[in-house]
Amino acid sequence: MTTLSTGKNTSLTSVSLGRKVKDRGVQVLVYLAFILALIPLVSVLWTVVVNGIERLDASFFQYSMNAVSGSDVGGGAYHAIIGTLLQVAICSAIAVPLSILTAIYLVEYAGNGRLGKIISFTVDVMMGIPSIVAGLFILALWLLTFGFDYSGFAGALALTILMIPTVTRSAEEMLKLVPNDLREASYALGVPRWRTICFVVLPTALTGMVTGVMLAVARVMGETAPLLLTIFFTKAINNDPFNGPQASLPTFIWEQAADPSQNSIDRAWTGALVLIGIIMLLNLVARLVARRAATKSR
């Protein structure tokens, strides 16, 4: 086999010096951009860890702020942690099925129909809604119009409005990435469309969909504005999200940070650290579950 070469005895497979310099320059710019984007994230995480580690003890997870003033030593965020977990669980139970069903309709059934375009446009509009608007909507409808009291469920409804468009859009994109060959092979075997979606399409897109759900959970778990309008404030433990005001970690952090006492500020930093830890833990668990499910589907 002969090697083709140019008039200057340069192989066609060789790379010129100018292209090497440009390639190296682009690589340096990409690494530099990555480092610049990473600096604020690392800085925030480091600040929260340094300031929040001091009050990160067993009592912080075992006690509430009931009968504890802002300047007092001690107290904890047990009531806020319970409230956050309950509210996010209710929100996810409502938002995730609705969002996935909406995404399935948009990808598998809607096509270029008018209804599909209207739904897609509505989802895009909902993604840009400020969080406080969702809280005001639930305040006006659920509390003022229907006459219900402040509760964790009202806060979960506000968070649901924020979660649905995020999960819908991410699930839609993951479903679009599923190769059509898989669908056609299933149809060729005589499998109905609904079974193809349940046993072929969804398992293939499961990992990406779980990631999208966790990103949405991370977003709503840190929202404060809609919760201030719907769950009110309480320092006591309330395990019933349908009855009476209920605390949450975002409102706990907001309330403690507003107090000038150093003890309150320390509790606020620790609350922020716990919130970040819960989000990271949920992401880790979701990734493990998605990976195991993807392995079984193979």
Side-chain angles (χ1 to χ4, degrees), residues 42-105:
V42 174
S43 176
V44 170
L45 185 60
W46 176 258
T47 303
V48 173
V49 171
V50 170
N51 291 278
I53 199 69
E54 184 176 352
R55 270 303 323 273
L56 192 64
D57 49 28
S59 63
F60 192 82
F61 297 93
Q62 295 175 350
Y63 298 98
S64 67
M65 290 297 297
N66 197 22
V68 179
S69 65
S71 59
D72 291 341
V73 180
Y78 176 81
H79 61 304
I81 296 173
I82 293 298
T84 292
L85 294 178
L86 289 174
Q87 292 157 24
V88 172
I90 295 173
C91 168
S92 301
I94 299 173
V96 172
L98 289 176
S99 302
I100 293 178
L101 290 174
T102 302
I104 291 174
Y105 174 78

Side-chain angles (χ1 to χ4, degrees), residues 88-132:
V88 172
I90 295 173
C91 168
S92 301
I94 299 173
V96 172
L98 289 176
S99 302
I100 293 178
L101 290 174
T102 302
I104 291 174
Y105 174 78
L106 291 175
V107 176
E108 303 294 337
Y109 293 97
N112 294 322
R114 184 176 181 181
L115 180 58
K117 293 180 179 179
I118 294 175
I119 295 175
S120 182
F121 174 76
T122 304
V123 170
D124 292 336
V125 172
M126 289 181 64
M127 291 188 69
I129 293 178
S131 59
I132 195 170

Side-chain angles (χ1 to χ4, degrees), residues 242-298:
F242 301 97
N243 185 22
Q246 188 179 50
S248 69
L249 276 173
T251 56
F252 172 83
I253 296 169
W254 186 86
E255 182 183 14
Q256 295 298 313
D259 194 308
S261 172
Q262 185 60 42
N263 291 326
S264 295
I265 295 176
D266 291 341
R267 284 190 290 264
W269 281 114
T270 306
L273 179 59
V274 171
L275 181 60
I276 294 175
I278 292 176
I279 293 174
M280 293 179 63
L281 180 62
L282 290 177
N283 274 278
L284 179 61
V285 172
R287 287 181 181 275
L288 292 176
V289 171
R291 183 175 299 179
R292 182 169 298 181
T295 304
K296 289 182 179 180
S297 65
R298 294 174 186 174

Side-chain angles (χ1 to χ4, degrees), residues 166-188:
T166 304
V167 178
T168 300
R169 186 58 68 213
S170 62
E172 180 184 1
E173 295 302 323
M174 290 301 104
L175 292 175
K176 287 180 179 178
L177 292 177
V178 177
N180 285 327
D181 293 343
L182 295 178
R183 298 181 177 88
E184 293 173 358
S186 179
Y187 296 151

Side-chain angles (χ1 to χ4, degrees), residues 199-281:
F199 298 103
V200 177
V201 177
L202 289 179
T204 305
L206 179 62
T207 302
M209 293 171 64
V210 170
T211 302
V213 169
M214 296 316 303
L215 290 175
V217 168
R219 181 201 172 187
V220 302
M221 190 173 285
E223 290 291 347
T224 306
L227 298 181
L228 292 174
L229 300 173
T230 53
I231 67 173
F232 204 59
F233 293 99
T234 180
K235 294 184 177 182
I237 299 172
N238 181 9
N239 296 324
D240 185 0
F242 301 97
N243 185 22
Q246 188 179 50
S248 69
L249 276 173
T251 56
F252 172 83
I253 296 169
W254 186 86
E255 182 183 14
Q256 295 298 313
D259 194 308
S261 172
Q262 185 60 42
N263 291 326
S264 295
I265 295 176
D266 291 341
R267 284 190 290 264
W269 281 114
T270 306
L273 179 59
V274 171
L275 181 60
I276 294 175
I278 292 176
I279 293 174
M280 293 179 63
L281 180 62

